């Protein structure tokens, strides 16, 4: 499974620059003009995982395949987007398709970069986007309420659905995001088909100037305080520097860049790790002479479901899984060493896959 994250924010906050920093195979046009990103730019990025290198050294496969994450750079949102201002409708349609939202917030001052909303105000910027998404969610809920109200005349069971929708409507009208609502199972089922925008998990990127890369500044501090109240994650980055690092080809050049700015790794690594945490994702591996490969699954999946990301037939015909913990596989020098020490286990359909597991599935065709 591939994670799809949408990069959003007001115009000129550094969205496309961040996309350039994290995308291996697509470059958005980073420009000081509104709506320079008219169609979503999509880039597949390999998920960095040092464990792959370690496994490859042991197995010596023909190829190594990391898992990936899909980034979508979506046109800048403006006030009034929910009612069609700017490219609002296009923006809101694109964001419905993503699994998580990466919300870039401007936390730097630069008189050369336009800001129509006036003085730098990260919390105000955040509220603009929240409000537009809430308006759109309200519209979706009200339309469904009308449909359910008609159905209630012949189906009394729809009354409970209508009551749940009314609760969600009242919540949004208070200016609150759906992801913050304590929802019952009935509430969740009532809105499941609406793919509500404010229900999606969000990760905030505080885009700071160079001097604040390591320490942050008063603007990013305000974003952190806001996110803590929401229970959300924040990453402080300088998107321009990250884009420059991404363009360097040699690891030596990158290391020099890291040293110059006091960094230890690209911001991309932190971004992906945090996105994985946000969506409760983990990685398992398959290892063989043909390939060593990483696979992404949702934490808590059992072995047959985990096998389905390789091929649906693996889940249908699942017999058993041969499993070795990553640490055991590495410390014992691979599969044979794990077998010799009794660390290769046979697990059945109820086994819950752990992060880092080395898996080999047996199945009927």
């Amino acid at each position: 499974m591939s994670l799809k994250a949408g990069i959003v924010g007001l115009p000129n906050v550094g969205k496309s620059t961040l996309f350039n920093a994290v995308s291996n195979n697509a470059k958005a046009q980073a420009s000081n003009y509104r709506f320079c990103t008219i169609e979503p730019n999509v880039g597949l990025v390999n998920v960095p995982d040092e464990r792959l290198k370690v496994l490859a050294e042991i197995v010596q496969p023909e190829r190594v395949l990391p898992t990936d994450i899909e980034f979508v750079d979506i046109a800048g949102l403006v006030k009034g987007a929910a009612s069609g201002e700017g490219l609002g409708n296009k923006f809101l349609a694109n964001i419905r398709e993503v699994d998580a939202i990466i919300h870039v917030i401007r936390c730097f001052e630069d008189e050369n970069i336009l800001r129509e909303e006036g003085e730098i105000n990260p919390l105000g910027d955040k509220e603009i986007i929240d409000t537009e998404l809430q308006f759109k969610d309200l519209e979706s809920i009200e339309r469904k309420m009308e449909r359910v109200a008609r159905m209630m005349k012949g189906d009394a069971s729809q009354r409970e659905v209508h009551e749940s929708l009314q609760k969600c409507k009242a919540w949004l009208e208070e200016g609150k995001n759906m992801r913050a609502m304590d929802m019952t199972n009935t509430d969740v089922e009532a809105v499941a088909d609406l793919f509500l925008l404010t229900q999606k998990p969000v990760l905030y990127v505080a885009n700071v100037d160079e001097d604040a890369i390591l320490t942050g500044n008063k603007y990013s501090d305000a974003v952190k305080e806001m996110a803590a109240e929401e229970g959300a994650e924040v990453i402080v980055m300088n998107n321009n520097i990250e884009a420059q690092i991404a363009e360097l080809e040699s690891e030596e050049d990158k290391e020099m860049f890291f040293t110059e700015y006091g960094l230890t790794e690209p911001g991309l690594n932190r971004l992906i790790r945090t996105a994985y945490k946000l969506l409760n994702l983990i990685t398992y591996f398959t290892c063989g002479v043909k390939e060593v490969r990483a696979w992404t699954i949702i934490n808590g999946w059992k072995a047959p479901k985990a096998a389905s990301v390789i091929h649906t037939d693996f889940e249908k015909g699942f017999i058993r899984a041969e499993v070795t913990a990553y640490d055991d596989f590495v410390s014992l020098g691979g599969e044979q060493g794990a077998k010799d020490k009794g660390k290769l286990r046979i697990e059945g359909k109820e086994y819950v896959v752990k992060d880092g597991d080395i898996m080999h599935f047996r199945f009927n065709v």
Side-chain angles (χ1 to χ4, degrees):
M1 59 183 295
S2 180
L3 167 66
K4 192 172 186 178
I7 303 176
V8 306
L10 293 175
N12 301 326
V13 297
K15 292 184 308 82
S16 294
T17 306
L18 175 62
F19 180 81
N20 289 348
V22 301
S23 177
N24 289 356
N25 59 1
K27 295 292 182 183
Q29 177 191 4
S31 174
N32 188 24
Y33 297 98
R34 247 183 175 177
F35 313 132
C36 67
T37 312
I38 296 185
E39 292 295 336
N41 291 273
V42 179
L44 278 176
V45 182
N46 292 337
V47 175
D49 194 325
E50 291 298 319
R51 293 174 297 183
L52 276 173
K53 296 179 182 178
V54 177
L55 294 174
E57 289 176 1
I58 295 171
V59 179
Q60 295 295 308
E62 294 178 9
R63 60 178 182 171
V64 178
L65 295 176
T67 187
D68 54 49
I69 181 172
E70 186 173 319
F71 285 95
V72 184
D73 180 26
I74 301 173
L77 189 63
V78 295
K79 192 171 183 178
S83 55
E85 288 295 319
L87 297 175
N89 289 331
K90 182 176 288 291
F91 171 97
L92 295 166
N94 291 328
I95 200 174
R96 282 198 193 281
E97 301 173 1
V98 304
D99 302 302
I101 296 171
I102 297 176
H103 185 166
V104 181
I105 299 179
R106 178 170 175 172
C107 294
F108 65 89
E109 296 182 3
D110 188 335
E111 61 184 15
N112 297 315
I113 298 181
L114 303 176
R115 189 177 187 280
E116 296 186 7
E117 294 77 17
E119 294 182 0
I120 304 302
N121 183 1
L123 300 190
D125 290 356
K126 183 258 186 188
E127 288 174 3
I128 289 174
I129 289 200
D130 275 359
T131 299
E132 296 307 321
L133 300 186
Q134 290 162 8
F135 281 155
K136 206 64 180 179
D137 281 352
L138 268 172
E139 181 183 308
S140 298
I141 287 175
E142 288 169 350
R143 286 179 179 173
K144 183 166 183 179
M145 287 179 70
E146 293 174 2
R147 297 196 303 271
V148 172
R150 292 193 295 268
M151 295 167 62
M152 283 168 55
K153 298 175 181 178
D155 184 357
S157 67
Q158 292 298 311
R159 183 173 301 279
E160 195 173 9
V161 176
H162 195 274
E163 289 174 355
S164 286
L165 291 170
Q166 183 63 53
K167 283 170 55 181
C168 295
K169 179 175 181 290
W171 183 267
L172 286 165
E173 286 175 339
E174 292 179 9
K176 299 176 181 178
N177 294 317
M178 289 304 302
R179 58 181 165 269
M181 182 176 172
D182 186 11
M183 303 177 74
T184 66
N185 290 337
T186 303
D187 298 337
V188 172
E189 292 173 4
V191 300
D193 60 335
L194 300 180
F195 303 100
L196 297 177
L197 305 175
T198 65
Q199 202 170 18
K200 296 180 184 295
V202 63
L203 162 63
Y204 297 104
V205 172
N207 186 17
V208 300
D209 53 31
E210 289 188 16
D211 293 338
I213 291 178
L214 301 179
T215 61
N217 56 28
K218 63 181 181 181
Y219 301 123
S220 62
D221 288 344
V223 173
K224 284 183 177 180
E225 185 176 343
M226 171 274 297
E229 293 175 358
E230 289 188 0
E233 298 281 349
V234 179
I235 290 181
V236 176
M237 298 171 56
N238 177 282
N239 295 355
N240 281 324
I241 288 177
E242 293 295 338
Q244 292 176 52
I245 292 173
E247 291 177 356
L248 299 174
E249 294 184 1
S250 78
E251 291 301 319
E252 290 183 2
D253 289 343
K254 289 182 180 181
E255 287 296 332
M256 290 176 61
F257 220 104
F258 296 156
T259 301
E260 180 179 351
Y261 287 99
L263 303 172
T264 57
E265 63 177 350
L268 167 62
N269 294 18
R270 290 184 291 131
L271 189 67
I272 291 177
R273 283 199 301 269
T274 308
Y276 265 47
K277 178 181 177 182
L278 188 69
L279 289 175
N280 196 28
L281 300 176
I282 61 172
T283 300
Y284 76 84
F285 304 97
T286 53
C287 295
V289 293
K290 289 292 184 182
E291 68 178 29
V292 166
R293 185 163 184 168
W295 304 90
T296 299
I297 62 170
I298 295 174
N299 191 16
W301 276 12
K302 294 180 180 180
K305 183 67 174 176
S308 71
V309 300
I310 299 177
H311 198 289
T312 53
D313 287 346
F314 281 30
E315 180 179 16
K316 295 174 183 176
F318 180 89
I319 300 174
R320 65 179 184 273
E322 298 172 1
V323 185
T324 307
Y326 172 81
D327 288 343
D328 290 336
F329 191 94
V330 172
S331 64
L332 298 172
E335 182 177 322
Q336 189 58 53
K339 280 183 179 179
D340 293 343
K341 295 295 184 180
K343 294 297 185 179
L344 188 152
R345 312 184 310 274
I346 304 300
E347 301 286 359
K349 293 182 178 180
E350 295 304 309
Y351 176 70
V352 177
V353 178
K354 307 294 190 301
D355 184 53
D357 275 350
I358 315 298
M359 309 285 292
H360 183 72
F361 298 104
R362 301 292 185 182
F363 65 100
N364 287 320
V365 178

